[in-house]
Amino acid sequence: MSGPGREPLRIGVLGAARITENSLIGPARTTGHRIVAVAARDRSRAEAYAAAHRVERVADSYADLIADPEVQVVYNPLANGLHGPWNLAALAAGKHVLSEKPSASNAEEAAEVREAAAKSGRVFMEAFHYLFHPVTRRLHELLASGELGELRHVETLVAIQAPADTDPRWSLDLAGGAVMDLGCYSLHAQRMLAPWAGGAPQLVKARAGERAGAPGVDEWLDADLAFPSGATGSARCHMAYDKLEMSCRIIGSRGEAFAPNFVLPQLDDRIVIRTTDGERTERLGRRSSYTYQLEAFAARLREGAPLPLGPDDAVATMTLIDEAYRAAGFEARPRVPILS
């Protein structure tokens, strides 16, 4: 919480995305930070959004919001293809940036964002919020403690029911597809196990299916991974599944741990642990992963506290995404050529 001597962050929001209510507005209220401005392509939509969510004011355009001297942090939840261009613009304007994942359309653009962050001296973070929740921290503790033994295999599945055909997540021009929207979580969670697997995983092979009526856009993708230690991984995503599933199963030489919803643990905070000593279920709390994330981001800006995520991590994740696309017979997502 903000308190004496702890000024609230002053955050500007690009777009009137539905996700922002859960990913930022609610957490900001909980932790005492200010949403000082919002901008949308349609000003009337931004005005309605500001009124509904008690945003302090409306900017005439994305560019105006970024130029606003009162905006300290830019939150970017725009369509995937607009992450890179507006992240670059915000960093060039001297703003700190919290960007929805993925940080860019492809690895080349992600590298440009990394360079811009280094040049600006500002904090840039990709919003892999799940990493800050006690569910994921506990999964890592189970490996670090040795209770599960040596890592042998990890399975991640992130799947949802299909969005409408008109949803921008099905647009190749806006860097859509299942891997961009969902598979980035599945792949990222596996990358985060590198400390217990001798290093980062490498792609072995990938298979994918194209969305009917959306050439070049993946409806699902399965990736097989191999870690330097000999452990293996299966990272799957599906954007037209029969239900919501966001699970992670970690299998070690002495046991396994299963999190039914590691991406949104506020919906299901369980970890089921099975070892030779028996089975138990731990509950890690329904507090929002987005709230933990905003607290960590604020601590970095206020106190210089370390973050587990940064521009290097964003480039590594995008590189793996691009590799998975190409291995499955797809192209890496195209860049949006101009700000729009």
Side-chain angles (χ1 to χ4, degrees):
M1 296 291 290
S2 295
R6 295 173 62 82
E7 289 295 320
L9 300 186
R10 304 183 308 277
I11 307 170
V13 178
L14 297 176
R18 286 172 296 181
I19 188 178
T20 307
E21 183 175 358
N22 292 326
S23 63
L24 182 69
I25 292 173
R29 288 175 184 160
T30 298
T31 54
H33 299 295
R34 293 170 56 196
I35 311 297
V36 298
V38 62
R41 291 187 186 183
D42 181 343
R43 183 181 171 89
S44 64
R45 186 178 178 210
E47 289 172 345
Y49 195 88
H53 299 297
R54 292 181 286 170
V55 178
E56 294 179 23
R57 63 179 179 277
V58 172
D60 288 332
S61 67
Y62 298 159
D64 286 341
L65 182 140
I66 286 172
D68 188 332
E70 192 171 11
V71 171
Q72 175 189 18
V73 176
V74 171
Y75 173 63
N76 184 353
L78 298 170
N80 291 335
L82 299 178
H83 289 171
W86 286 106
N87 289 341
L88 289 167
L91 290 165
K95 308 301 184 182
H96 304 290
V97 177
L98 178 61
S99 173
E100 276 305 322
K101 47 74 201 164
S103 65
S105 294
N106 54 50
E108 180 183 34
E109 189 175 45
E112 291 184 20
V113 173
R114 176 175 63 186
E115 292 169 8
K119 183 178 180 180
S120 71
R122 296 299 186 259
V123 175
F124 173 85
M125 192 178 87
E126 197 172 22
F128 279 112
H129 54 97
Y130 81 94
L131 195 61
F132 298 92
H133 195 277
V135 162
T136 293
R137 296 207 307 269
R138 181 61 176 144
L139 289 173
H140 293 174
E141 287 171 2
L142 290 166
L143 284 170
S145 71
E147 183 173 359
L148 301 181
E150 295 181 1
L151 180 64
R152 294 286 189 251
H153 183 67
V154 56
E155 300 170 354
T156 48
L157 169 61
V158 185
I160 61 171
Q161 293 179 311
D165 289 340
T166 56
D167 193 290
R169 285 174 286 181
W170 295 124
S171 168
L172 181 63
D173 290 341
L174 289 174
V179 177
M180 297 293 282
D181 190 58
L182 303 171
C184 54
Y185 283 113
S186 202
L187 291 167
H188 191 268
Q190 302 235 0
R191 287 192 53 251
M192 292 298 100
L193 300 182
W196 304 283
Q202 300 296 311
L203 182 70
V204 176
K205 62 182 178 179
R207 306 159 297 284
E210 189 173 70
R211 175 69 172 177
V217 178
D218 51 309
E219 183 175 278
W220 61 271
L221 183 141
D222 296 345
D224 295 336
L225 305 169
F227 292 86
S229 67
T232 58
S234 170
R236 301 170 57 204
C237 62
H238 205 305
M239 208 156 70
Y241 207 55
D242 59 355
K243 60 180 178 179
L244 183 147
E245 184 169 348
M246 298 180 171
S247 61
C248 177
R249 184 185 304 275
I250 295 174
I251 301 170
S253 58
R254 297 177 184 168
E256 67 176 67
F258 177 71
N261 195 334
F262 78 98
V263 176
L264 294 173
Q266 48 267 40
L267 302 181
D268 189 338
D269 64 340
R270 292 175 297 155
I271 296 179
V272 180
I273 302 162
R274 298 183 182 92
T275 67
T276 54
D277 294 329
E279 177 180 314
R280 71 182 189 273
T281 298
E282 295 183 1
R283 292 188 175 274
L284 283 301
R286 295 291 188 93
R287 189 171 188 257
S288 172
S289 53
Y290 295 110
T291 301
Y292 284 107
Q293 174 180 256
L294 185 57
E295 286 179 332
F297 192 76
R300 175 69 178 87
L301 298 190
R302 288 167 161 174
E303 305 151 17
L307 287 171
L309 299 169
D312 288 339
D313 183 77
V315 173
T317 298
M318 270 318 312
T319 299
L320 186 55
I321 288 172
D322 287 358
E323 290 174 354
Y325 269 133
R326 294 185 178 114
F330 287 76
E331 295 295 328
R333 305 296 86 172
R335 296 177 64 159
V336 174
I338 58 173
L339 294 179
S340 59

